[in-house]
Amino acid sequence: MTESDLWDAAARARVSDRWLSESIHWNTAMTDALLVEAALTPNSTVLDVAAGSGDPALTIAQRLKAGRVIALDSSCNGLLLASAHARRIELGSRVVCLQGDAHSIPLAQNSVDCITCRCGVMFFDDCGVVMSEMLRVLKPGGNVALLAWGKFEQPFFDATVGIVLQLVRGAEMPSEARKMFRFAVPGALSGELRAVGFSNVHEQSLRVPRIWAGTPKELWKYQQQVSTLCDPLFASIPAGLKAEVDAKVLSALARFETGRDLRVPVDVILARATKEIE
């Protein structure tokens, strides 16, 4: 399966009706933190980079009164899902889906008021080129807000893929999945922004809750479906060991139960910056 196929599979899983009610608030806290840093105005034209199947682009569109969101992604299939969802919730006029490479953003210079990217910046082949492109298309005085994963050693990953790594002899994180933690070192993400010429750069580490409106068993099944970059790791679990892995993961996730929901803390890195007014 190609990398594009993996992202397409993850996009389909995320928007599946099967998980709609359970996952409705799964990314809300991360999106809220991102948009606080973005400092949107009601009339903003926002570029959401690595938009996938439309989360958080559609959430951004819902918060705008007269602005619009350009959802940029390299995956045509993900954008088709985003466009269909936008029409279903009557946001079609405020969401423009644009297929393209973030290393060469197909927009004019100084054309957007704000740029967001949630959990996508880690996967770019050349972050310097992408951030230079962000700086180019951003209007002077505009903001960029980027959210990336913090370190691997945190409650959510310890309770899921971390258990697989502990129990399966010789198991390793796939190289593509390791990129998730590329900016876990403090200052790494903000350093990329400064290097290409952004000003007023600020970075912070945050712990936010992911809320799953379902059972630990459902969350573990969902996670295996959407974490397609970890497919080789999941496939490495021997049949005779699978029951033990599942039991330990479910026990670990159960610690996050609060009534009918699971509140799973996750550690993220959040950076914001501004394009100087010339």
Side-chain angles (χ1 to χ4, degrees), residues 30 147-150 154 204-208 266-270:
M30 290 196 296
L147 187 145
W149 284 110
Q154 57 170 291
Q204 60 181 313
S205 299
L206 291 177
R207 173 164 286 188
V208 298
V266 293
D267 297 325
V268 298
I269 303 294
L270 185 58

Side-chain angles (χ1 to χ4, degrees), residues 13-195:
R14 288 189 177 95
V15 300
S16 168
D17 289 340
R18 167 65 184 86
W19 304 113
L20 187 61
S21 60
E22 292 91 343
S23 65
I24 190 168
H25 296 302
W26 188 231
N27 292 317
T28 297
M30 290 196 296
T31 297
D32 287 346
L34 179 72
L35 299 189
V36 166
E37 295 301 293
L40 304 178
T41 65
N43 300 321
S44 294
T45 295
V46 182
L47 172 64
D48 187 48
V49 178
S53 54
D55 179 22
L58 301 188
T59 299
I60 296 170
Q62 290 173 322
R63 300 189 184 187
L64 300 175
K65 290 184 178 179
R68 65 173 183 152
V69 180
I70 302 169
L72 175 72
D73 202 271
S74 60
S75 167
C76 178
N77 289 334
L79 292 175
L80 288 173
L81 293 168
S83 181
H85 191 193
R87 289 193 300 270
R88 281 198 304 272
I89 60 177
E90 300 182 347
L91 286 174
S93 63
R94 278 188 271 165
V95 179
V96 177
C97 292
L98 180 64
Q99 185 179 11
D101 185 351
H103 296 80
S104 181
I105 298 174
L107 292 174
Q109 182 175 348
N110 302 334
S111 58
V112 300
D113 301 298
C114 181
I115 298 175
T116 58
C117 182
R118 194 198 68 197
C119 293
V121 66
M122 309 88 70
F123 298 108
F124 297 132
D125 292 334
D126 191 328
C127 279
V129 170
V130 173
M131 291 185 184
S132 292
E133 280 291 278
M134 290 180 176
L135 187 65
R136 179 184 66 82
V137 303
L138 191 62
K139 294 178 182 178
N143 297 322
V144 60
L146 310 173
L147 187 145
W149 284 110
K151 61 186 182 300
F152 174 77
E153 295 80 11
Q154 57 170 291
F156 179 57
F157 296 116
D158 288 344
T160 52
V161 293
I163 287 176
V164 179
L165 292 171
Q166 290 171 12
L167 295 181
V168 178
R169 181 177 297 177
E172 294 182 352
M173 283 285 283
S175 59
E176 284 299 311
R178 286 199 299 270
K179 292 180 182 179
M180 292 170 59
F181 312 103
R182 179 178 181 178
F183 293 115
V185 176
L189 185 54
S190 56
E192 294 275 1
L193 289 164
R194 288 192 182 92

